[in-house]
Amino acid sequence: MAVAAVHAGGIADHIHPEPQGFVRKYLFSIDHKIIGIQYLITAGVFLVLGGLLAELIRVQLMNANGGFMTPDTYNEVYSVHGSTMVWLVIIPMLTGGFGNFVFPLQIGARDVAFPWLNMLSFWLFPPAGLMLYGSFLMGAPAAGWTEYPPMSLQGQAGTSMWCAAIFLVGVSSTLTGINFLVTLLKMRAPGMTYTRMPLFCWAQFVTAPLLMIATTALGAALAALFIERQFGVPFFDPTKGGSPLLWQHMFWFYSHPAVYIMILPVFGIVSEVFPTFARKPIFGYKMIAFSSCSIAILGFMVWAHHMFTSGMAPFLQLPFMVLTMLIAIPTGIKIFSWVATLWGGKIHFSTAMLFAIGFIATFTLGGITGVFLAAVPFDLHAHGTYFIVAHLHYVLVGGSLMGIFSGIYFWYPKMTGRLMSEKLGKWSFWLFFIGFNGTFLPMHNMGLLGMPRRVAEYDPQFQTLNRIASSFSFVMTIAILLTIINVLYSIKKGKRAGHNPWNARTLEWQIPSPPHYYNFKHIPSVFANPYDFNEPLPYRGLEEELTDSPAPMGAH
Amino acid sequence: MIAVLSVLSILYWWLMAPITSWLPEAVDKAQQIDSLSRFLLASGTALFIIVVGYLLYFSFAFRRRKTDAPDAIGVQIHDNHKLELWWTLIPTIFVVIMAVFSIKIWAGIQLGDNNGMVVEALGHQWFYSFRYPDVHGEITNEMHLPLGVPVTLHVSSYDVIHSFWVPDMRLKADMVPGIINTLRFTPTRPGRYQIICTEFCGTLHGEMNKQYVVIDTPQAYKKWYQGWQQKNAHASDAIPTQSSGAISLAGGDVNAGKMLFTQKCSACHAIAPFAHKVVGPGLKGVLNDPAHPNLVDGAAATPANVAKILQQGYKGDMGQMPNQTANGLTDKDIANLVAFLKSTK
Ligand code: HEM
Ligand SMILES: [Cu+2]
């Protein structure tokens, strides 16, 4: 073990030999890049499972009187679907997956601050997933991903398993948050000041404290629900002196910031993809970074907008309504800045760029309906209906998932050294975009006209709209499968990518694909913002990266 | 072109396609909410058209062409403070306008006094029941309301959380066990309107939409109401409780009772002489007051009879007191409360 260099961050640069053998290299790896890919693959498997459940939902809803499943099975299906998508797909992909793989490379670090902790974070995640799906054997949770008591107190045995599973992913998230925050604070390469960090790093920098702080509230709530279900200590049961609203407050104190955990990293992805393919600096770098910060802070002060009809004191509704509306301002600034980045560009429509542009369109619609819902009088009508389902899928599927797909097409060459098929990618994008809007746009109407959410059967007047939605959902599923096929196919058959196929300017693209075990032979130094396309690259010390000169001890 | 489209969208939502063409407005509050919804839909659509319009326009206009060199770059600008100021300022002003408009409508809906006729709706797995003043027992099929008379609707639940939503009223309140939520409105349009549960409440949640609010002319309402008064003349008012039978009062804890009293009782009762009425009578010394040897229900003022009122609730001239289940009291809580009441002299 040798200390090879001490760089400006002040943390000693320990170089260990690269582990050999499958288990230490790929299974119990401490390399942030391998861990990132592990997250992406595991979450990808859950995306398939969650997608399967989604299709079961849409098949059930083809007919107004259901009939494909019993109502009890239906309730289990959509509850596990929601829990999967939030906790086993989107959050792990964006933080554990892209976060782990990308940002340490972008700040010029050899790894995250606590590699062993990082491995622990990952290994908490597959067992949690197995537990959630194992709960089907003992009666799965059935009160939605929000599991409001007293309903969840009546739930089957699997509801306790749900508590434990989500608790585990929660611990995993919290540890990841700590790890990322310390890494970003302490391990930036010399000269990588905060205003020179790529915006994806900013996105992770703002997400990390949310992971750390908000998730603890969820942990406490889950522990309380588990204890009440198993040992009868009444936290939430009103007939024993508990308060059902206590759960709602604790749940949303986590879950509202959690929606930003699910979107801020996507803002980061889009902020990398746009300049790269428009060949222009990102417009309003500082405003984008600053607005992320203000969104994160405001995000902690608006949770009760999910509870306007639940019986909170009317006067408490006011601050929550106004603060929620305020979030529209920083969100708008971001959207305008992205659109302005396109102005005067030389736009290359790669699949990654198409998904990023599609993201802007759908996320804008989701954000606008979010502001509607912030207005208490509108929410009195729309709460608990398919309008909410439409809003949340516009921001989570049209927003987060499209962003994730953009990120996959963008960084896949860095992860594997190969390009994905652009032809298949474009098919995937267009089918996704059409299928997605066809599925979720009609849900706005259903909700406003009177269709409640979480129902296994519904009033026949909504059957046509539901059949439209179900049909388009199959198109969307095909689109997702095309991308998954593309990922698998391109590992062996994809064109060799070279180290920088997109001609991008951030640090990760200046080193080989896939990068060495320790990322950089020498830690580079940075002397400007990465996005000036008319300037030479703002890095020093990268000369040997693409040559055959020896890597740090043990790295290849 | 983008500007024209957005103006058209505003006109469309404002004039041509108000929500009312799909869903009638059954109560006064629905009109207020719709005016806000029209504003939101119109401005939201306009904003959407502007953003997506520019997105598409720029994507088209600034695409890389065949004639461009492969390494061609775009215009290298980083920001434009004037532009950024505008697109911060205009949305801010817009948010302020929207907030003011929303608050105005909000105040009209949420801040009224409880007046007019008082009706209660209660959620069960999986149906609603309704209670009317001076009608014994509960009505479990339809809820009738007279046209033009202000209504104060209290909602709560017997078991899990349900919700009371009538899309034609645009109003909704969750029915949370142990909490009473209130909606206030005046029916303005006769008809039958579906009541729908929007808070997941178990297996048959999806079927909790089979009951209706019927808005009648005052005469028809009166007939319906009197019919129920007669029909239910002998029905029991006692709300069924989960625990039945006498409660053991041994070991009641005065301090715990005092705390519970502030939490659960003090909204309606003061620790003051009998005549000091808040909603119900003052309770200072109920068990030791020679001037009032009897409780409101006529039974002797003994600990057991006080416990019975706490257990079963009470309904009389002054109004209605929730029972043990609705108030979220355990048997032990009742023992503690009785001990506390006994200690007040
Ligand atoms: C301008 C931004 C946004 C605003 C103003 C906003 C506002 C709201 C409001 C007021 C609700 C509650 C509606 C109700 O339950 O009655 C809601 C629900 C929801 N929002 Fe947003 N939202 C915004 C962006 C987002 C984003 C970015 C995400 C996720 C990526 C998101 C995810 C959700 C989810 C999942 C729900 C439904 C939760 C449930 O009941 O299951 N929202 N939003
Ligand atoms: Cu929220």
Side-chain angles (χ1 to χ4, degrees):
Chain A
M1 194 199 297
V3 178
V6 177
H7 62 76
I11 286 195
D13 209 7
H14 296 276
I15 301 284
H16 303 252
E18 180 179 7
Q20 301 301 322
F22 182 78
V23 172
R24 285 297 318 284
K25 206 165 163 182
Y26 295 115
L27 213 52
F28 293 101
S29 173
I30 55 168
D31 178 356
H32 72 100
K33 302 186 291 301
I34 300 289
I35 294 177
I37 293 171
Q38 284 176 318
Y39 264 109
L40 289 172
I41 292 174
T42 318
V45 171
F46 287 118
L47 174 65
V48 174
L49 291 175
L52 189 73
L53 295 176
E55 281 314 331
L56 294 180
I57 294 173
R58 286 317 320 168
V59 170
Q60 166 84 1
L61 295 180
M62 289 285 269
N63 289 317
N65 54 4
F68 177 66
M69 290 176 262
T70 64
D72 281 324
T73 315
Y74 178 80
N75 298 337
E76 295 179 11
V77 166
Y78 77 71
S79 302
V80 177
H81 160 75
S83 307
T84 303
M85 291 306 193
V86 169
W87 286 299
L88 303 182
V89 179
I90 294 186
I91 296 180
M93 280 205 175
L94 287 172
T95 56
F98 288 114
N100 253 316
F101 187 91
V102 177
F103 90 77
L105 297 174
Q106 287 188 328
I107 60 170
R110 293 207 189 282
D111 204 328
V112 292
F114 310 114
W116 287 90
L117 194 66
N118 203 16
M119 178 172 91
L120 175 65
S121 293
F122 171 72
W123 278 106
L124 290 172
F125 166 41
L130 289 181
M131 282 166 72
L132 181 62
Y133 279 80
S135 74
F136 273 115
L137 301 176
M138 48 206 285
W145 74 288
T146 52
E147 290 295 331
Y148 279 8
M151 199 54 239
S152 51
L153 297 173
Q154 293 183 0
Q156 313 169 77
T159 311
S160 299
M161 190 91 133
W162 175 87
C163 293
I166 306 306
F167 191 90
L168 279 192
V169 269
V171 174
S172 162
S173 283
T174 314
L175 297 180
T176 302
I178 295 171
N179 212 341
F180 285 10
L181 193 63
V182 176
T183 309
L184 281 156
L185 285 171
K186 285 289 172 196
M187 309 214 2
R188 283 168 288 119
M192 179 65 79
T193 57
Y194 289 110
T195 51
R196 290 179 192 160
M197 276 198 314
L199 281 166
F200 183 77
C201 301
W202 261 103
Q204 294 289 340
F205 192 38
V206 177
T207 309
L210 296 184
L211 284 169
M212 265 166 61
I213 299 167
T215 314
T216 50
L218 177 71
L222 290 167
L225 186 62
F226 185 87
I227 292 170
E228 175 152 6
R229 285 180 49 88
Q230 298 302 332
F231 310 111
V233 182
F235 290 101
F236 307 120
D237 181 353
T239 63
K240 303 200 184 96
S243 158
L245 293 191
L246 175 65
W247 167 269
Q248 298 186 15
H249 280 294
M250 292 175 78
F251 183 86
W252 290 116
F253 186 78
Y254 161 77
S255 283
H256 191 78
V259 309
Y260 295 114
I261 293 172
M262 295 188 268
I263 205 72
L264 287 171
V266 174
F267 293 168
I269 293 175
V270 173
S271 305
E272 298 303 320
V273 170
F274 262 48
T276 304
F277 293 105
R279 315 304 299 157
K280 270 193 66 194
I282 188 92
F283 191 92
Y285 173 98
K286 284 194 182 147
M287 285 305 266
I288 290 186
F290 173 77
S291 61
S292 286
C293 299
S294 56
I295 288 176
I297 293 168
L298 280 173
F300 272 109
M301 299 190 273
V302 300
W303 77 91
H305 68 213
H306 296 268
M307 301 168 58
F308 284 148
T309 66
S310 70
M312 56 199 293
F315 267 108
L316 269 183
Q317 295 175 336
L318 264 191
F320 284 109
M321 165 159 77
V322 174
L323 285 166
T324 306
M325 289 176 174
L326 285 184
I327 294 190
I329 301 169
T331 312
I333 291 178
K334 276 180 186 300
I335 292 177
F336 299 141
S337 302
W338 288 319
V339 174
T341 303
L342 296 183
W343 182 87
K346 290 275 176 219
I347 304 167
H348 172 54
F349 292 101
S350 67
T351 309
M353 185 65 170
L354 285 176
F355 271 109
I357 292 177
F359 159 87
I360 308 276
T362 47
F363 177 76
T364 300
L365 186 54
I368 289 174
T369 54
V371 181
F372 291 5
L373 293 170
V376 177
F378 184 87
D379 190 58
L380 288 185
H381 181 56
H383 175 76
T385 69
Y386 260 81
F387 193 88
I388 303 294
V389 180
H391 160 72
L392 76 91
H393 285 87
Y394 263 85
V395 283
L396 284 177
V397 181
S400 307
L401 200 62
M402 291 249 275
I404 286 172
F405 276 35
S406 173
I408 290 177
Y409 282 91
F410 187 57
W411 279 302
Y412 186 89
K414 186 50 50 185
M415 295 178 185
T416 63
R418 300 204 182 242
L419 289 164
M420 287 170 76
S421 155
E422 282 289 308
K423 196 162 155 216
L424 213 54
K426 282 179 183 152
W427 272 98
S428 178
F429 167 75
W430 286 109
L431 291 179
F432 189 98
F433 193 78
I434 294 165
F436 166 78
N437 284 294
T439 308
F440 293 105
L441 200 61
M443 293 187 188
H444 293 104
N445 302 43
M446 295 176 202
L448 292 183
L449 294 182
M451 180 165 164
R453 67 193 280 205
R454 297 177 172 163
V455 291
E457 46 199 88
Y458 52 87
D459 197 291
Q461 60 166 308
F462 302 116
Q463 184 160 295
T464 316
L465 286 175
N466 271 289
R467 290 198 167 167
I468 295 175
S470 290
S471 316
F472 277 98
S473 79
F474 300 123
V475 178
M476 190 168 95
T477 304
I478 292 173
I480 294 177
L481 287 177
L482 283 184
T483 287
I484 293 176
I485 291 170
N486 203 346
V487 165
L488 298 176
Y489 168 86
S490 306
I491 287 185
K492 285 258 149 39
K493 298 277 167 63
K495 265 193 270 168
R496 294 242 172 241
H499 74 287
N500 190 1
W502 316 125
N503 219 343
R505 298 178 54 91
T506 42
L507 255 178
E508 81 271 29
W509 296 104
Q510 315 313 325
I511 56 177
S513 308
H516 292 304
Y517 181 59
Y518 270 117
N519 302 347
F520 300 93
K521 290 178 185 163
H522 307 282
I523 299 289
S525 53
V526 180
F527 53 89
N529 193 298
Y531 300 111
D532 288 304
F533 285 78
N534 52 351
E535 302 277 340
L537 286 171
Y539 311 113
R540 274 191 211 104
L542 288 173
E543 297 77 15
E544 285 178 38
E545 294 299 333
L546 297 169
T547 66
D548 289 337
S549 72
M553 190 214 280
H556 299 285
Chain B
M1 195 181 65
I2 292 167
V4 173
L5 277 176
S6 34
V7 170
L8 282 181
S9 86
I10 293 179
L11 288 177
Y12 174 75
W13 284 109
W14 208 276
L15 300 173
M16 322 262 293
I19 310 108
T20 41
S21 44
W22 293 294
L23 264 189
E25 292 161 333
V27 299
D28 58 343
K29 300 285 162 71
Q31 292 152 18
Q32 301 174 16
I33 290 180
D34 280 357
S35 66
L36 180 65
S37 304
R38 267 203 302 280
F39 169 76
L40 292 173
L41 284 169
S43 46
T45 313
L47 178 66
F48 181 74
I49 290 174
I50 293 171
V51 170
V52 174
Y54 278 110
L55 189 72
L56 291 178
Y57 168 57
F58 289 167
S59 297
F60 179 76
F62 300 105
R63 68 193 187 281
R64 186 161 74 191
R65 292 159 215 256
K66 291 242 158 52
T67 50
D68 284 329
D71 57 352
I73 58 173
V75 188
Q76 301 296 302
I77 46 166
H78 294 92
D79 41 24
N80 175 335
H81 292 303
K82 221 156 124 194
L83 196 61
E84 285 171 86
L85 187 70
W86 280 115
W87 75 40
T88 311
L89 215 59
I90 295 176
T92 307
I93 293 170
F94 179 71
V95 163
V96 171
I97 295 173
M98 185 170 65
V100 170
F101 194 2
S102 303
I103 291 171
K104 192 175 145 248
I105 305 279
W106 167 87
I109 292 168
Q110 302 284 47
L111 297 186
D113 288 327
N114 289 353
N115 57 11
M117 57 182 286
V118 177
V119 182
E120 293 172 4
L122 294 148
H124 307 249
Q125 282 171 317
W126 292 274
F127 63 95
Y128 298 97
S129 66
F130 312 101
R131 299 174 75 94
Y132 280 74
D134 300 322
V135 175
H136 292 299
E138 301 192 353
I139 297 170
T140 50
N141 57 0
E142 287 177 345
M143 171 179 185
H144 282 239
L145 296 172
L147 192 64
V149 176
V151 177
T152 297
L153 175 69
H154 294 302
V155 305
S156 190
S157 165
Y158 279 101
D159 35 52
V160 299
I161 302 177
H162 302 272
S163 189
F164 181 97
W165 180 39
V166 179
D168 310 80
M169 293 186 184
R170 316 283 193 275
L171 291 176
K172 174 183 295 121
D174 287 1
M175 306 173 123
V176 186
I179 294 182
I180 295 173
N181 286 333
T182 305
L183 292 174
R184 302 176 203 88
F185 53 86
T186 305
T188 52
R189 184 179 184 280
R192 291 180 90 230
Y193 306 105
Q194 205 174 10
I195 310 171
I196 296 170
C197 177
T198 58
E199 215 48 75
F200 177 72
C201 59
T203 310
L204 298 185
H205 166 58
E207 293 193 31
M208 211 165 144
N209 59 359
K210 308 260 182 289
Q211 285 163 282
Y212 288 81
V213 175
V214 181
I215 296 179
D216 283 333
T217 59
Q219 299 85 325
Y221 171 77
K222 201 162 165 207
K223 204 162 145 235
W224 174 86
Y225 176 72
Q226 287 171 345
W228 273 97
Q229 266 187 322
Q230 282 164 14
K231 196 160 147 199
N232 276 19
H234 301 292
S236 161
D237 267 342
I239 301 173
T241 61
Q242 285 182 342
S243 64
S244 50
I247 286 171
S248 156
L249 295 178
D253 174 14
V254 176
N255 283 328
K258 185 169 181 187
M259 186 115 118
L260 274 168
F261 189 91
T262 35
Q263 287 169 356
K264 307 245 173 174
C265 319
S266 60
C268 300
H269 296 283
I271 292 299
F274 179 84
H276 183 103
K277 181 181 155 198
V278 181
V279 174
L283 292 178
K284 187 168 175 190
V286 261
L287 288 163
N288 316 290
D289 185 354
H292 288 277
N294 289 335
L295 300 172
V296 274
D297 60 357
T302 64
N305 286 337
V306 170
K308 202 167 136 217
I309 293 188
L310 289 177
Q311 193 181 8
Q312 300 187 341
Y314 174 77
K315 187 159 172 296
D317 303 340
M318 294 182 182
Q320 177 166 339
M321 165 164 155
N323 69 10
Q324 180 179 8
T325 318
N327 216 350
L329 296 174
T330 62
D331 289 1
K332 182 81 197 142
D333 289 340
I334 291 185
N336 293 342
L337 281 167
V338 172
F340 165 66
L341 288 174
K342 214 155 131 191
S343 75
T344 61
K345 292 200 173 110

